[in-house]
Amino acid sequence: MNTLSLSRYRAEWFTSLTGARRDVLAGMVGTFALIPEVIAFSFVAGIDPQVGLFASFVIGIVIAFAGGRPAMISGAAGSVALVAAALVHAHGLQYLLAATLLAGVLQIVFGLLKLDVLMRFVSRSVRTGFVNALAILIFSAQVPQMLGVSWHTYAMIALGLAIIYLVPRVTTAIPSPLICIVVLTAISIAFPMPVHVVADLGKLPASLPTFALPNLPFTWDTLTIIAPYAVAMAAVGLLESMMTATVVDDLTETKSDKARESTGLGLANFAAGLFGGIAGCGMVGQTVGNVRYGGRGRLSTLAAGVFLLVVMVPLRPWIAQVPVAALVAIMIMVSISTFSWGSLRDLARHPKVSGVVMLATVAVTVLTHDLSIGVAVGVLLSGVFFAFKVTRLMDVAVDYDEATDTRLYDVTGQVFFASADIFADRFDLADTARNARIDLTRAHLWDITAVGALEDVVSKMRRHDIAVEVIGLNAASATLVDRHAPLLREPAL
């Protein structure tokens, strides 16, 4: 780290006492917004709440030092929990911890190789489909908790939603999800009723997390089980963290180091796996709240992580009595706020191909319950549609110079694997003109498929005794031709 980078890193931690106080207070408020969502997502993943809380504590501390986006809150929540649920259901917690370690390693490698640039290939339509599918999966995960229950549960969920949406109209000093938890817990204690509570979901943390390797054989069979889930967890975690970092960049009008954020997230998840936690990622809602409450530096991220466990251990008896209905209400709110409702309106305004990409991403993700597959399909469709659009812009105008008996071919646009066949079909190989001139001044050859198409056209014309001249190659195209089709550059042409 050079002097300039070190100076910038110090500034990200501390600028003034006022800034430090603001970061600590914002981080503490962010913790209260973090607790209910972490517990709720632990419930979605099918793990004990302490697994998610331990992970969020460790992730918060590590990412504060190693991350690339100050003021960003990361924890064991979001799309990663949805991916983890299938692994936990099929193989149990220990395999999830192993998958968390592997996902962390993959993210570290991703960051070190600067592969964050690949995120540029994720179009807006794919990102919109990603968040919409995430919202649908979050909501669908709550449905089982609303089936076969007493009317008390429905009443509690309805009251919880009313509190979540109405309290902010009165005050925003305390996060409404936290008020929802406190009120519904107080009601369930004061008026005992047949509803499930957090204690029924599993253990809550009673102490600090301890170091322990996953208790399973480190064999090839284990790797084949965890690898697909680890890749999916790493991919969706990176995507959600990159999206969250971009949101903070826009809010603060600053830039983040996406590669460093990837590496930092990998280190945080690897550490979480070693201390009995699930992998996590950037949390959009908590991060936006942290920034709006005044958090700007790494200290706010650290405060959120540390304060999480400081609050959770002494409040454990109370947290255990929180009704599951409160968590369901919070997750319904999260799904509603996550869904991009404007995208439904945009379906009529935006190009149809953008709508197809977004809907395909949503459909594949919901059907497979795998966010990484949905994103991969969306990116693939975006590439195919883009290639098709660029192909349509390629044209070959044909003219004839009677004085010199020369057929003139004026090529415009991009010639590459998708347009090479169309390019070749535009040439009349049975032409009666004795000369041909191919002008590439307004064209560009992108790959060996394009060079091969040009070479085939020229060689076939030669066999028909047509003298061919190729002109207007730009520097990049000429280099490609010299390397793969040097005969095209001979003076005889």
Side-chain angles (χ1 to χ4, degrees):
M1 186 178 292
N2 56 42
T3 304
L4 181 61
S5 298
L6 185 60
S7 176
R8 185 183 299 115
Y9 185 74
R10 282 199 298 263
E12 290 173 351
W13 275 103
F14 181 83
T15 53
S16 65
L17 288 175
T18 301
R21 180 176 61 83
R22 181 189 62 204
D23 278 347
V24 171
L25 291 177
M28 291 171 65
V29 173
T31 298
F32 287 110
L34 185 70
I35 291 174
E37 192 165 330
V38 169
I39 295 176
F41 270 111
S42 298
F43 160 64
V44 169
I47 56 178
D48 290 338
Q50 76 170 9
V51 178
L53 292 166
F54 279 162
S56 299
F57 167 71
V58 174
I59 290 171
I61 292 177
V62 175
I63 205 74
F65 291 93
R69 174 64 266 179
M72 193 164 107
I73 304 296
S74 298
S79 52
V80 176
L82 296 170
V83 176
L87 178 59
V88 173
H89 178 74
H91 301 283
L93 175 63
Q94 295 303 315
Y95 282 88
L96 172 61
L97 300 182
T100 297
L101 294 176
L102 181 56
V105 171
L106 293 175
Q107 289 170 336
I108 292 171
V109 172
F110 187 94
L112 292 176
L113 295 179
K114 308 286 186 184
L115 296 180
D116 56 291
V117 296
L118 295 177
M119 291 299 172
R120 298 174 185 172
F121 294 96
V122 181
S123 66
R124 177 182 291 272
S125 300
V126 177
R127 292 197 297 268
T128 301
F130 174 86
V131 297
N132 286 348
L134 174 60
I136 293 172
L137 290 179
I138 290 173
F139 182 82
S140 64
Q142 311 313 308
V143 173
Q145 303 306 315
M146 295 185 284
L147 299 177
V149 295
S150 65
W151 67 268
H152 304 83
T153 300
Y154 295 111
M156 294 284 270
I157 293 174
L159 178 59
L161 289 170
I163 293 171
I164 289 171
Y165 284 107
L166 296 179
V167 166
R169 298 186 179 185
V170 179
T171 178
T172 56
I174 302 176
S176 59
L178 183 62
I179 296 177
C180 166
I181 283 181
V182 172
V183 172
L184 265 60
T185 302
I187 292 175
S188 66
I189 293 175
F191 305 98
M193 59 187 75
V195 295
H196 294 295
V197 295
V198 169
D200 299 327
L201 302 178
K203 293 167 53 179
L204 288 168
S207 61
L208 293 174
T210 56
F211 177 88
L213 290 173
N215 184 23
L216 48 75
F218 290 90
T219 63
W220 180 257
D221 290 338
T222 300
L223 181 62
T224 56
I225 292 173
I226 67 173
Y229 296 98
V231 171
M233 291 162 65
V236 298
L238 285 169
L239 182 60
E240 192 158 350
S241 291
M242 296 300 101
M243 291 171 60
T244 304
T246 301
V247 169
V248 182
D249 291 351
D250 294 339
L251 289 175
T252 61
E253 297 183 352
T254 58
K255 294 183 179 180
S256 58
D257 187 337
K258 301 295 194 303
R260 183 172 180 178
E261 180 62 30
S262 302
T263 304
L265 180 63
L267 290 170
N269 283 331
F270 189 82
L274 292 176
F275 284 90
I278 182 180
C281 59
M283 303 174 68
V284 179
Q286 284 66 29
T287 297
V288 171
N290 181 50
V291 173
R292 288 179 176 169
Y293 284 120
R296 290 293 184 272
R298 295 177 180 273
L299 189 58
S300 64
T301 305
L302 181 65
V306 171
F307 197 63
L308 172 65
L309 210 62
V310 171
V311 170
M312 281 304 305
V313 173
L315 295 182
R316 178 173 174 268
W318 298 98
I319 298 296
Q321 299 181 64
V322 172
V324 172
L327 305 184
V328 172
I330 292 170
M331 297 313 296
I332 291 175
M333 178 273 294
V334 170
S335 66
I336 293 173
S337 61
T338 299
F339 194 91
S340 176
W341 298 100
S343 65
L344 300 179
R345 180 185 65 251
D346 292 338
L347 286 174
R349 299 189 307 166
H350 289 176
K352 291 183 179 180
V353 293
S354 297
V356 170
V357 170
M358 190 273 284
L359 293 175
T361 303
V362 173
V364 172
T365 301
V366 172
L367 290 174
T368 63
H369 282 237
D370 193 325
L371 288 150
S372 59
I373 294 178
V375 170
V377 170
V379 170
L380 179 61
L381 283 178
S382 295
V384 171
F385 288 143
F386 175 76
F388 179 72
K389 183 176 180 180
V390 173
T391 298
R392 294 177 62 186
L393 298 176
M394 197 278 299
D395 188 37
V396 180
V398 183
D399 200 0
Y400 177 67
D401 184 358
E402 188 175 354
T404 59
D405 192 20
T406 301
R407 188 71 64 187
L408 305 173
Y409 295 94
D410 185 9
V411 184
T412 303
Q414 315 303 313
V415 187
F416 62 113
F417 64 89
S419 61
D421 288 342
I422 299 174
F423 165 81
D425 291 341
R426 298 295 177 84
F427 294 88
D428 184 4
L429 302 180
D431 197 351
T432 56
R434 305 321 304 159
N435 303 290
R437 180 184 298 158
I438 303 175
D439 188 352
L440 297 166
T441 304
R442 295 188 294 169
H444 187 92
L445 306 181
W446 281 100
D447 53 20
I448 59 173
T449 305
V451 174
L454 178 60
E455 185 179 31
D456 287 344
V457 166
V458 171
S459 61
K460 289 175 181 178
M461 284 184 171
R462 281 178 167 176
R463 287 199 294 269
H464 287 80
D465 296 325
I466 300 174
V468 185
E469 180 184 13
V470 179
I471 64 172
L473 283 169
N474 58 34
S477 299
T479 300
L480 204 59
V481 168
D482 289 341
R483 184 178 301 167
H484 300 287
L487 292 179
L488 291 180
R489 303 285 285 164
E490 287 187 353
L493 297 179

